[in-house]
Amino acid sequence: WVDYFLPKAREAFEKLGYAIDWRRTFTTTELDAHYNKFIEWQYLTLKEKGYISKGKHPVIFDPIVNKVIGDHDRPDEYAGISYIEGYIIKFETEIRNSKVYLPCFTLRPETVLGVTNIWINPNAEYLLCKVNNEYWILPNSIVIEELKGQEFNVEIIEKISNKELLLKYAKNLVTNEIIPILPAEFVDTEIGTGIVMSVPAHAPYDYIGLIDLLKTEYKEIAENCLKNMKSLFKLENYTDFPAKYIVEKMKINSQKEKDKLEKVTEEIYSKEYYNATTREIYGKFSNKKIFEIKESFANELIEKNVALKYLTLPIRFVSRYNNKVIVKKIEQWFLNYSDPNWKKLAHECVDQMKIYPENLKQEFHRIIDWLRDWAFTHKDILGTPLPWDKEWYIESLSDSTIYMAFYTIAHLIRKIEPEKLSKEVFDYIFLGKGNLDEISEKYNIEKNLLKEMRNEFTYWYPLDLRISAKDLIPNHLAFMIFHHVAIFPKEYWPKGIAVNGYVLINGEKMSKSKGNFIPILFALENHSADALRFVLAMNSFSGIDDINIEYSKIDKVEEMLIAVSYTHLTLPTSDLV
């Protein structure tokens, strides 16, 4: 794969007329022993400084191929999606004369005081399961695999028909209220637990779900639920029932209007979280902002065995192996991006950087705060073996964090046998540590060569500008900052980052999954390099907005260039002007 595509890439760039110093080429796999040694040095340094640990941490995981799924192992449109932390709140019911729990996943545990009913999807299949010595109702979906991946012991007992669930009643173990189980098609049985608690006063989906039921056999129950709505928060510029207010204002008539519902849900949740205050119903938590009490409120539910923390995905997507992924806790090697001291250095670096566009500087600060420990090793992939645990390989995003430094010496390091490239050698080249004479003699490396590599690095570094796409802000670009501040002294920290949008071809985003990309060599077989460069240049910078390459116009561009060239040859300059 590498042997085929590397020459093709070089051929394409040369035909386009790019000026590239090909002496500095390297391959980021085991095929390049010199680069491997550089990566080994990087990770030995990080481990030495305490930035690497091993333990059980949540990752995005493909249970079919048994592999951690990073951004490069998923379709482009799902890059950057991470797991979310929420809560399972248990509601008690009775099925076949046994106590059974309905586990409802929510990101808003504080709203449990306003639950009027429970939703299940009427078109889905549900199962009676034994989960950690309790009986739960769960959907027959990937959710079960995700529960197992988070160390829940799940045993499927038997299928449960929807008739056994719908119109049954359950007990809210927080308020002791008895509430009905009702149908809602908007319930996604692959997200959370596939069962949802309904808070129609504050959740637009729940409110419109009950409105829809007014036209069905569930009319009387739905009316009762709407009558029993509770206003939980005070929010300026909204009525006591914000969901009702926004649904009517936006003229949403059905739960099938998902785009509108998603938009208003995000609006209300965001405004309530930061601006609303809790009503007296919350007792000692009343008259507080939601973000101030959420965690404490949820912890009390956990202590009472009514709730538990749970991790899931905001949307269920597939890996590039076309399997649905889950959140799983696995024993693995991790980069400790949650380390507050490491974050402090990263923030300091961003403060002294130039970021283009400028308004993204705050986004980098937010991402640094948001980043959690990162699983940086996988098995059975291309890459560099972890030097102290060879069965693990460093994944591609994690080995491309400081490779810019390797460019400075790539043309010289080939003169040294890879086995001589110890940590001491790299410490001297990149950090100026150690005695040059002693290192030269110990590893039998020419002193002038070591000195030249050191000079090359200090001449070219720090990195003036790194240019990349907006989807790499939460991973590649943030990782670059973290690793530079961990390894290099402050004078060699990166100075700037420019972020661009996606590249669209004829108005549509290029995607591996869609196959709508145009290889440069293919374009050059049909058109001149001049025409292609002109088309690329026409929309070469749009800030963070997506760049639309109007490839369909390349024929007209070529005709224009030929006409201009012909005119230039036959007319005096004054006529051209």
Side-chain angles (χ1 to χ4, degrees), residues 32-290:
D32 194 328
H34 294 85
Y35 185 76
N36 267 18
K37 288 293 183 180
F38 168 71
I39 295 299
E40 285 183 7
W41 165 74
Q42 177 187 353
Y43 277 86
L44 286 168
T45 303
L46 291 170
K47 188 170 187 284
E48 192 178 82
K49 294 192 173 189
Y51 292 134
I52 290 175
S53 62
K54 192 175 187 182
K56 281 201 170 178
H57 285 266
V59 295
I60 310 300
F61 195 81
D62 184 328
I64 304 300
V65 297
N66 202 35
K67 182 178 177 183
V68 177
I69 301 301
D71 280 355
H72 289 186
D73 284 318
R74 58 182 80 173
D76 294 344
E77 56 267 35
Y78 302 118
I81 294 177
S82 186
Y83 57 85
I84 52 175
E85 183 179 86
Y87 298 84
I88 290 174
I89 298 181
K90 295 186 286 186
F91 291 77
E92 186 182 309
T93 189
E94 186 178 285
I95 290 179
R96 300 174 189 176
N97 299 318
S98 297
K99 182 169 72 175
V100 176
Y101 291 108
L102 294 159
C104 296
F105 179 81
T106 181
L107 296 173
R108 306 186 69 192
E110 70 282 355
T111 63
V112 69
L113 300 184
V115 174
T116 62
N117 61 282
I118 288 173
W119 297 118
I120 66 167
N121 190 315
N123 303 316
E125 182 177 86
Y126 287 86
L127 304 169
L128 176 64
C129 300
K130 192 174 184 182
V131 181
N132 294 352
N133 296 317
E134 295 178 342
Y135 289 100
W136 287 16
I137 300 298
L138 291 170
N140 187 9
S141 75
I142 193 73
V143 164
I144 290 176
E145 196 65 40
E146 190 163 74
L147 281 162
K148 291 178 180 177
Q150 293 179 49
E151 301 177 335
F152 286 79
N153 184 15
V154 182
E155 177 190 351
I156 297 174
I157 306 299
E158 59 187 327
K159 291 180 182 178
I160 294 288
S161 71
N162 285 347
K163 288 181 181 179
E164 291 183 83
L165 294 174
L166 292 172
L167 289 182
K168 268 193 169 292
Y169 285 80
K171 183 179 181 181
N172 184 335
L173 297 173
V174 181
T175 64
N176 289 321
E177 294 170 325
I178 305 301
I179 55 175
I181 303 169
L182 297 173
E185 292 183 4
F186 63 74
V187 174
D188 188 338
T189 56
E190 294 191 342
I191 299 297
T193 55
I195 301 174
V196 177
M197 64 185 202
S198 171
V199 188
H202 299 274
Y205 268 108
D206 297 339
Y207 178 76
I208 198 67
L210 290 173
I211 295 297
D212 280 352
L213 289 184
L214 295 178
K215 308 160 194 171
T216 71
E217 62 190 284
Y218 301 98
K219 177 183 176 182
E220 189 176 334
I221 298 174
E223 284 177 341
N224 197 44
C225 290
L226 289 167
K227 181 181 175 182
N228 292 328
M229 285 196 303
K230 291 179 188 174
S231 178
L232 303 176
F233 318 115
K234 291 173 277 188
L235 182 61
E236 193 176 343
N237 298 324
Y238 284 83
T239 65
D240 288 347
F241 304 120
K244 178 178 186 294
Y245 168 77
I246 198 76
V247 164
E248 291 176 352
K249 179 183 175 183
M250 296 298 293
K251 297 180 180 177
I252 300 172
N253 299 309
S254 164
Q255 62 187 279
K256 296 185 187 299
E257 296 180 65
K258 291 187 176 180
D259 288 344
K260 282 186 179 180
L261 283 166
E262 288 292 335
K263 184 178 179 181
V264 296
T265 296
E266 184 178 345
E267 176 187 329
I268 286 181
Y269 282 15
S270 177
K271 287 184 177 178
E272 284 189 338
Y273 187 74
Y274 291 106
N275 302 310
T277 53
T278 53
R279 293 188 182 276
E280 290 68 26
I281 190 175
Y282 282 89
K284 66 180 181 180
F285 295 112
S286 62
N287 297 311
K288 304 280 187 183
K289 294 284 195 296
I290 295 173

Side-chain angles (χ1 to χ4, degrees), residues 495-513:
K495 297 296 181 186
I497 290 175
V499 180
N500 56 263
Y502 299 120
V503 176
L504 309 179
I505 291 291
N506 300 327
E508 187 176 11
K509 183 188 170 188
M510 285 195 296
S511 167
K512 291 192 289 286
S513 59

Side-chain angles (χ1 to χ4, degrees), residues 222-502:
E223 284 177 341
N224 197 44
C225 290
L226 289 167
K227 181 181 175 182
N228 292 328
M229 285 196 303
K230 291 179 188 174
S231 178
L232 303 176
F233 318 115
K234 291 173 277 188
L235 182 61
E236 193 176 343
N237 298 324
Y238 284 83
T239 65
D240 288 347
F241 304 120
K244 178 178 186 294
Y245 168 77
I246 198 76
V247 164
E248 291 176 352
K249 179 183 175 183
M250 296 298 293
K251 297 180 180 177
I252 300 172
N253 299 309
S254 164
Q255 62 187 279
K256 296 185 187 299
E257 296 180 65
K258 291 187 176 180
D259 288 344
K260 282 186 179 180
L261 283 166
E262 288 292 335
K263 184 178 179 181
V264 296
T265 296
E266 184 178 345
E267 176 187 329
I268 286 181
Y269 282 15
S270 177
K271 287 184 177 178
E272 284 189 338
Y273 187 74
Y274 291 106
N275 302 310
T277 53
T278 53
R279 293 188 182 276
E280 290 68 26
I281 190 175
Y282 282 89
K284 66 180 181 180
F285 295 112
S286 62
N287 297 311
K288 304 280 187 183
K289 294 284 195 296
I290 295 173
F291 70 85
E292 294 174 330
I293 63 103
K294 177 178 179 174
E295 192 168 347
S296 299
F297 184 88
N299 285 338
E300 286 201 2
L301 299 184
I302 292 170
E303 288 170 11
K304 294 174 182 176
N305 196 31
V306 175
L308 57 150
K309 283 188 178 180
Y310 190 67
L311 305 173
T312 190
L313 291 159
I315 57 171
R316 190 72 62 183
F317 61 90
V318 297
S319 70
R320 69 184 177 94
Y321 309 100
N322 207 34
N323 305 312
K324 290 174 183 174
V325 298
I326 61 171
V327 180
K328 182 176 182 177
K329 291 181 179 178
I330 66 170
E331 182 85 14
Q332 200 178 1
W333 291 101
F334 289 82
L335 287 157
N336 302 330
Y337 291 140
S338 58
D339 184 319
N341 293 321
W342 201 1
K343 287 182 184 289
K344 184 179 177 182
L345 290 173
H347 281 303
E348 192 178 336
C349 180
V350 171
D351 283 336
Q352 56 91 49
M353 292 176 81
K354 287 188 180 294
I355 306 289
Y356 307 95
E358 290 180 6
N359 61 355
L360 284 181
K361 181 166 278 200
Q362 279 309 114
E363 177 66 2
F364 275 93
H365 281 302
R366 187 189 72 79
I367 290 296
I368 287 166
D369 285 331
W370 166 82
L371 266 176
R372 295 172 283 219
D373 293 347
W374 176 266
F376 72 95
T377 53
H378 298 177
K379 291 184 178 180
D380 303 317
I381 61 169
L382 294 170
T384 299
L386 197 61
W388 61 87
D389 194 349
K390 299 278 187 181
E391 68 173 325
W392 293 97
Y393 283 75
I394 299 165
E395 54 91 23
S396 57
L397 277 170
S398 299
D399 86 351
S400 64
T401 52
I402 62 166
Y403 71 87
M404 311 85 184
F406 194 75
Y407 280 122
T408 67
I409 63 165
H411 61 307
L412 298 172
I413 201 169
R414 308 298 179 192
K415 300 175 183 179
I416 305 172
E417 294 89 343
E419 57 271 16
K420 293 182 180 180
L421 295 173
S422 68
K423 187 174 182 297
E424 287 177 278
V425 172
F426 283 115
D427 280 348
Y428 172 76
I429 295 169
F430 293 115
L431 304 177
K433 290 170 63 176
N435 182 283
L436 175 60
D437 292 326
E438 290 176 5
I439 293 171
S440 173
E441 184 178 348
K442 181 177 180 179
Y443 295 102
N444 191 26
I445 301 172
E446 188 182 335
K447 185 165 68 173
N448 287 339
L449 180 58
L450 287 170
K451 195 172 181 181
E452 187 179 1
M453 285 193 288
R454 174 67 184 162
N455 290 340
E456 279 281 316
F457 172 72
T458 58
Y459 174 81
W460 287 108
Y461 249 57
L463 175 70
D464 293 308
L465 187 66
R466 177 77 181 100
I467 303 172
S468 198
K470 60 187 176 185
D471 58 315
L472 296 181
I473 295 175
N475 43 64
H476 171 70
L477 293 173
F479 296 176
M480 180 195 78
I481 294 168
F482 270 93
H483 287 237
H484 272 82
V485 300
I487 292 171
F488 298 109
K490 191 174 293 186
E491 62 265 31
Y492 296 125
W493 289 1
K495 297 296 181 186
I497 290 175
V499 180
N500 56 263
Y502 299 120

